[in-house]
Amino acid sequence: MTIALAVGAFGALIGSFLNVVVHRVPARRSVVSPPSACGACGHAIRPYDNIPIVSWLVLRGRCRDCRAPISPRYPLVELATALVFAIVAWVFAPAIIAATTPTALAAAIVQLVAYLYLAAISIALALIDLDTRRLPNVLVVPSYVVGGVLLTLVAALTGEWVALATAGLGLAIWGGLYFALAVIWPGGMGFGDVKLAGVLGLFLGFLGWPTLGVGMFAGFLAGGVFGVALMLAGRGRKAAIAFGPWMLLGAWVGILGGPAIFRAYLGLLGLAL
């Protein structure tokens, strides 16, 4: 619990940075400079007005200088990131607590870092895709490198090379499936989705086939249900759907509950692992 709370607090800080990423990356602007400023008056935001969640509440959602309203999306993203980070830490922390050797402890920490990274880019990509119907390469492509390096390090520390091989297969299978869909159905699946699918396949595959399978199916199910809901609401077949958020949602269903869901499914069929 202590680890989850500490990581959650850190997640609020990351959420503040993700607000910058979501705003600037689609516009091809640097996320480092210039410093954040009020969009209405241009006044630089003071450090004490940039405390995640708290500053927005203290300022009552308005700029200190010009009193222009500040979107509640900013504290909501910070809060959501804090909660997601705390949940990820709660899921992966038992391995840290149970570690009995320095090597096992290092592996557990690196694995936690890997999936916290995935959580951060999941939030950023979902929001950007909802805003712009794009999944920027500048966020997606480096994730192959970051994920590959971190998960390879975990495998090297633990000797779990089968997990790393499954991660590679997950990348190929999930990425290949989405590539085929993009070729067959070019209007319904973009190549940003294809590249994201490979990243998700990598991270989910490392956790095993049940996680990979449940995550893939859950993404298709969530996106399909949303698409049907749009048609029933009269939006029509040609309504543009950002599929990335549903892929990401499905992936996290797999990460957080994949093995349990898979076992429950087998139980319904009268089967057992």
Side-chain angles (χ1 to χ4, degrees), residues 48-49 51 53-62 64 67:
Y48 53 80
D49 286 338
I51 302 171
I53 304 169
V54 175
S55 291
W56 189 89
L57 294 173
V58 170
L59 293 171
R60 298 182 180 179
R62 292 188 176 275
R64 182 182 293 275
R67 306 309 298 166

Side-chain angles (χ1 to χ4, degrees), residues 225-236:
V225 169
F226 182 72
V228 170
L230 281 182
M231 288 190 288
L232 292 176
R235 291 284 298 274

Side-chain angles (χ1 to χ4, degrees), residues 19-35:
N19 277 318
V20 177
V21 171
V22 170
H23 179 68
R24 296 189 183 185
V25 166
R28 294 182 171 85
R29 295 170 54 197
S30 170
V31 299
V32 178
S33 64

Side-chain angles (χ1 to χ4, degrees), residues 3-228:
I3 294 175
L5 290 175
V7 172
F10 176 67
L13 296 173
I14 296 299
S16 182
F17 176 68
L18 292 182
N19 277 318
V20 177
V21 171
V22 170
H23 179 68
R24 296 189 183 185
V25 166
R28 294 182 171 85
R29 295 170 54 197
S30 170
V31 299
V32 178
S33 64
S36 298
C38 173
C41 68
H43 197 288
I45 297 175
R46 301 166 179 82
Y48 53 80
D49 286 338
N50 208 22
I51 302 171
I53 304 169
V54 175
S55 291
W56 189 89
L57 294 173
V58 170
L59 293 171
R60 298 182 180 179
R62 292 188 176 275
C63 171
R64 182 182 293 275
D65 296 285
C66 69
R67 306 309 298 166
I70 302 171
S71 172
R73 172 166 164 168
Y74 293 105
L76 288 175
V77 169
E78 293 163 354
L79 178 60
T81 307
L83 291 174
V84 170
F85 267 46
I87 292 170
V88 173
W90 180 72
V91 169
F92 288 96
I96 296 176
I97 297 171
T100 56
T101 66
T103 300
L105 177 61
I109 292 174
V110 173
Q111 181 164 286
L112 173 60
V113 170
Y115 288 91
L116 289 175
Y117 170 81
L118 179 62
I121 65 163
S122 294
I123 293 169
L125 288 171
L127 292 172
I128 291 173
D129 200 14
L130 288 170
D131 288 343
T132 68
R133 301 296 189 271
R134 292 178 52 236
L135 294 166
N137 286 334
V138 71
L139 295 180
V140 177
V141 174
S143 299
Y144 284 95
V145 178
V146 174
V149 169
L150 291 175
L151 296 179
T152 298
L153 181 55
V154 175
L157 290 169
T158 61
E160 293 288 343
W161 297 108
V162 172
L164 188 64
T166 307
L169 289 172
L171 186 160
I173 292 170
W174 208 341
L177 174 61
Y178 273 81
F179 178 80
L181 289 172
V183 172
I184 296 170
W185 186 30
M189 191 69 62
F191 279 94
D193 297 324
V194 175
K195 286 173 276 192
L196 176 60
V199 172
L200 297 179
L202 175 72
F203 279 92
L204 272 68
F206 191 81
L207 298 178
W209 292 109
T211 298
L212 180 66
V214 169
M216 183 183 297
F217 177 76
F220 277 115
L221 179 62
V225 169
F226 182 72
V228 170

Side-chain angles (χ1 to χ4, degrees), residues 233-261:
R235 291 284 298 274
R237 294 177 178 271
K238 295 184 179 180
I241 298 174
F243 198 66
W246 305 110
M247 295 170 62
L248 291 161
L249 175 62
W252 281 99
V253 169
I255 291 171
L256 299 177
I261 293 171

